[in-house]
Amino acid sequence: MQVDLRSDTVTRPNPEMLGAMSHAEVGDDVFGDDPTVNELERRVAELFGFDAAVFTPTGSMANQIALQLSASPGEEILAETRAHVVNNEVGALAAYGGVSSRTFWSEGGRVNAEEVASLVNGPGAYATPTAVIAVENTHNAAGGTVQQLGEVERLGRLAHERGVALHMDGARIWNARAATNIGFRKWAEPVDTLSVCLSKGLGAPAGSLVLCSAEKEARARTVRKRMGGTMRQSGYLAAAGLYALDHNLARLWQDHARARFLADELAAYGVCEPEEVETNILMLTGEGMDRIAAQAEERGVRFLAFSATRARLITHLDVDDAGIEYTAKVLSELLR
């Protein structure tokens, strides 16, 4: 058996999704006349209560566009130490936006509004002015943890009082919704910009969107063009996103249940705490994780070892109960 738990990005379109893609009505999105892209953008904007949504090839591009909408060269963003926007987007903030970053540590990756707001720099001749606070929901590197809505709401109010924008990297906002039953619009209300990804839990082959105000939409499309993200008949990819919204959104609880099952099975070996598994990400800690990952791969189970002591497994729609049970068996034998 082959089980790939390296990420929820490894999924492949099923025949039905491929059918939706092959039958998509397309145009030229550079000219704004691809009807399937337009429908996806309209639908996602409405889902989150934003004026506008702009389709992008990747989540990193969506994040960087959003951040450039609010931060100018010479300004900074504040983000949690392990945030994707500062750790996993290969310096795009500086390379494309001329923007610096400053980070803070938060337990479980969850923001504390008072602590974060106290870090905000105002304009002046010495300190780098803060332009944006970035929040990740769910927080990948912290183990798929969900932000506390009340803290995000408080941070939004405090940030706006200080003249600072709030951006949410919502690549896995779908999982936050599935874990809490908090509506998408409720998550979006406190933030100025939001990015969402279709190629993670929803299983599309590519595609993300940046959500913003109507006033910022033209600027977002300009930055997308500058980054090389404006595509032509991109409706074929947008069709996969529409299919994912219709068919793969409601089933995310299954991924969460499988991650928790795996945590329960492995907890006896001291490598995880099941109660910390909130969504579809399971972090393992302990000696020899790199060795165990290599041995597991020889037996058909793939996951990421970030170091000799830390590893990550992510459940997704291409791994069923049998795959999770096999993974639990293999890892139990190796850990034992």
Side-chain angles (χ1 to χ4, degrees):
M1 178 176 288
Q2 298 294 315
V3 184
D4 193 343
L5 297 168
R6 290 174 297 167
S7 178
D8 43 9
T9 61
V10 302
T11 58
R12 299 177 183 180
N14 62 17
E16 292 76 20
M17 181 181 283
L18 287 171
M21 295 170 69
S22 65
H23 291 95
E25 183 182 359
V26 298
D28 191 321
D29 189 42
V30 175
F31 296 124
D33 62 8
D34 188 305
T36 308
V37 172
N38 294 343
E39 172 60 15
L40 177 65
E41 292 178 338
R42 182 203 65 76
R43 183 168 168 185
V44 173
E46 181 178 323
L47 188 65
F48 288 91
F50 271 85
D51 296 331
V54 178
F55 186 51
T56 67
T58 70
S60 292
M61 182 178 289
N63 275 332
Q64 294 304 319
I65 291 170
L67 293 170
Q68 287 189 47
L69 293 179
S70 300
S72 299
E75 295 180 326
E76 71 171 9
I77 74 157
L78 291 176
E80 206 274 335
T81 301
R82 296 158 289 179
H84 194 280
V85 295
V86 294
N87 283 288
N88 304 108
E89 299 181 10
V90 290
L93 280 169
Y96 289 111
V99 177
S100 64
S101 60
R102 191 154 45 97
T103 64
F104 55 88
W105 171 266
S106 59
E107 189 66 32
R110 297 183 184 89
V111 298
N112 177 289
E114 292 269 350
E115 292 179 2
V116 177
S118 69
L119 301 174
V120 174
N121 287 333
Y126 297 99
T128 304
T130 305
V132 188
I133 300 169
V135 176
E136 189 171 328
N137 194 26
T138 65
H139 197 304
N140 175 5
T145 52
V146 182
Q147 297 294 336
Q148 296 175 329
L149 178 61
E151 288 300 303
V152 176
E153 291 173 333
R154 290 178 61 212
L155 184 58
R157 292 191 294 269
L158 289 167
H160 297 157
E161 289 171 4
R162 301 287 295 276
V164 175
L166 182 60
H167 169 66
M168 180 175 285
D169 175 357
R172 292 185 174 89
I173 190 71
W174 324 106
N175 297 93
R177 167 70 171 79
T180 63
N181 208 33
I182 295 171
F184 293 122
R185 289 193 174 206
K186 198 69 176 174
W187 282 117
E189 281 174 1
V191 305
D192 298 282
T193 54
L194 170 69
S195 65
V196 299
C197 184
L198 303 169
S199 64
K200 292 186 172 67
L202 296 189
S208 290
L209 297 101
V210 54
L211 295 101
C212 61
S213 66
E215 293 76 17
K216 292 185 175 181
E217 180 183 2
R219 167 71 175 161
R221 295 188 185 279
T222 297
V223 177
R224 181 183 68 168
K225 174 68 172 176
R226 181 175 296 131
M227 289 183 170
T230 302
M231 300 176 285
R232 298 293 179 171
Q233 287 73 40
S234 45
Y236 293 115
L237 291 174
L242 288 169
Y243 178 91
L245 290 173
D246 288 336
H247 297 89
N248 295 340
L249 187 56
R251 57 152 307 280
L252 287 173
W253 66 270
Q254 298 175 16
D255 298 337
H256 297 184
R258 287 168 180 149
R260 181 58 185 263
F261 171 85
L262 194 53
D264 287 337
E265 292 293 302
L266 301 180
Y269 307 103
V271 294
C272 62
E273 297 290 340
E275 62 273 12
E276 294 179 359
V277 179
E278 299 179 25
T279 54
N280 65 326
I281 299 178
L282 170 61
M283 307 298 290
L284 302 181
T285 58
E287 296 298 325
M289 282 298 157
D290 51 348
R291 172 182 53 81
I292 291 170
Q295 292 173 337
E297 185 165 359
E298 292 176 356
R299 299 176 62 175
V301 176
R302 306 181 76 183
F303 60 93
L304 291 182
F306 295 123
S307 68
T309 59
R310 189 165 177 267
R312 185 193 73 182
L313 299 84
I314 303 187
T315 55
H316 51 79
L317 60 86
D318 280 3
V319 178
D320 59 13
D321 288 341
I324 292 298
E325 290 168 5
Y326 178 70
T327 299
K329 177 179 181 293
V330 169
L331 290 182
S332 294
E333 292 173 358
L334 293 174
L335 289 166
R336 190 180 302 124

